[in-house]
Amino acid sequence: MEHITFIGTGVMGSSMAGHLLSAGYPVTVFTRTKSRAENLLAQGARWADTIQEAVKDADFVITMVGYPQDVEELYLGPDGIIASAKPEAILIDMTTSSPSLAVRIAEAARKRGLEALDAPVSGGDVGARNATLSIMVGGSETTFNRTKALFEKLGKTIVLQGGPGSGHHTKMCNQIAIASNMMGVVEALTYGLAAGLEPRTMLSSIESGAAGSWSLSNLVPRMLNGNVKPGFYIKHFIKDMGIALESAREMGLTLPGLSQAEALYKKLAALDTKTLQGIAQEIAAQQKGLSAPQIPEEAQTGSDLGTQALYLLYLARLI
């Protein structure tokens, strides 16, 4: 069976690599912190100490890391994936990253007899756990077809969008839609609470109508339960919005909704733990129908919370 190397075993990568193991694929894992891979190693994954060791025998190399600079270093560094992978290996970056970087990676890979796909995903931690992700792919149709069976172990909606970079451009469309929608979702909740509505009853009506969205149905319940743990980190969402705004500027576009969302999330990200805990106590004292927000002990700033935590700014009147 084809050998897979999975690099990056964070909130989503761990679940995704686990699905591949469950499907019977031999999987090698590499991540900066070995302890984050212990669960996968217990399921039968093999550990590699270096990038070179991790990719040298792999038929597929999948990366799911944090930032474009991480992707660039992994793929294009002198001892990176492209320099170390075996001929005809397929390289799949599932990080949300830069479309222009994806083009550079694809070009560098072809020069070494490799193929590269950019394949970012949407669906968050829930989609990763349930293997229901939407996978947006950029690259050649031939390489996509060779990889589709693997993608089907990870997601339900798998679409080739076009050539290199197209997957990341599609993910930018996804993030742009989510960013403005999150403001609308939080503002609806804030308005409902101020009007004295029971929030769960309100949600049961509006989520099934024209206002319905994934964020409304999946993230508002987390807000109501005081759960601000990251299914998707605010720091990563800010990174995504920055990529989208940069790409928009390159195309001569102005996206005011996205700019406003980025500003709000940056404001939340800048709050320290003490301030966040004070906000949580204030909300617990003043808001009926909501559980007290539980700020994770490991969170050093707002950037370490989940994207649903935007409601803290609104309820604390910090907008």
Side-chain angles (χ1 to χ4, degrees), residues 183-193 197 202 206 216:
M183 289 191 294
V185 164
V186 173
E187 289 177 12
L189 174 62
T190 303
Y191 180 95
L193 289 168
L197 299 177
M202 176 270 289
I206 71 171
L216 192 68

Side-chain angles (χ1 to χ4, degrees), residues 22 39 43 51 88 109 125-127 145 151 165 176 181 193 211 219 249 251-252 258 269 274-276 284 303 305 313:
S22 297
N39 181 52
Q43 295 177 58
I51 293 293
E88 299 186 0
D125 58 332
V126 175
N145 290 335
F151 286 144
I176 291 166
N181 183 53
L193 289 168
L219 297 184
R249 284 191 290 268
M251 294 184 283
L258 181 61
K274 183 178 180 180
T275 302
L276 291 167
S303 68
L305 303 180
L313 275 188

Side-chain angles (χ1 to χ4, degrees), residues 226-245:
N227 177 2
V228 294
K229 291 182 178 180
F232 188 63
Y233 282 103
I234 284 173
K235 56 190 173 187
H236 292 160
F237 195 32
I238 291 172
K239 175 262 296 184
D240 294 354
M241 289 186 281
I243 294 170
L245 286 166

Side-chain angles (χ1 to χ4, degrees), residues 44-259:
R46 184 174 73 87
W47 172 256
D49 288 312
T50 66
I51 293 293
Q52 298 96 312
E53 180 188 347
V55 306
K56 65 180 182 179
D57 297 319
D59 299 294
F60 295 94
V61 178
I62 301 174
T63 53
M64 188 71 164
V65 293
Y67 297 89
Q69 56 264 38
D70 300 321
V71 175
E72 183 169 12
E73 180 181 348
L74 275 173
Y75 281 92
L76 301 177
D79 298 316
I81 294 169
I82 290 176
S84 306
K86 71 180 186 179
E88 299 186 0
I90 295 177
L91 316 179
I92 309 164
D93 182 33
M94 304 189 81
T95 313
T96 298
S97 185
S98 162
S100 60
L101 176 57
V103 173
R104 289 170 53 206
I105 288 171
E107 291 173 349
R110 286 200 188 98
K111 289 178 182 178
R112 284 213 63 245
L114 309 168
E115 289 293 332
L117 299 174
D118 48 288
V121 302
S122 180
D125 58 332
V126 175
R129 285 198 304 271
N130 297 332
T132 57
L133 294 167
S134 174
I135 305 175
M136 310 156 224
V137 187
S140 79
E141 185 173 5
T142 300
T143 306
F144 171 75
N145 290 335
R146 287 176 57 195
T147 312
K148 193 171 182 183
L150 185 155
F151 286 144
E152 287 172 345
K153 302 296 186 292
L154 307 175
K156 294 296 184 185
T157 303
I158 303 153
V159 181
L160 178 65
Q161 297 291 336
S166 298
H168 286 319
H169 276 306
T170 304
K171 181 60 185 287
M172 290 303 104
C173 294
N174 184 83
Q175 300 305 75
I176 291 166
I178 288 174
S180 294
N181 183 53
M182 278 297 295
M183 289 191 294
V185 164
V186 173
E187 289 177 12
L189 174 62
T190 303
Y191 180 95
L193 289 168
L197 299 177
E198 201 294 312
R200 290 171 178 81
T201 304
M202 176 270 289
L203 179 63
S204 69
S205 289
I206 71 171
E207 70 176 341
S208 60
S213 70
W214 190 94
S215 295
L216 192 68
S217 295
N218 289 275
L219 297 184
V220 171
R222 296 189 191 189
M223 299 173 199
L224 300 180
N225 292 330
N227 177 2
V228 294
K229 291 182 178 180
F232 188 63
Y233 282 103
I234 284 173
K235 56 190 173 187
H236 292 160
F237 195 32
I238 291 172
K239 175 262 296 184
D240 294 354
M241 289 186 281
I243 294 170
L245 286 166
E246 181 180 357
S247 296
R249 284 191 290 268
E250 291 172 355
M251 294 184 283
L253 299 177
T254 301
L255 304 176
L258 181 61
S259 296

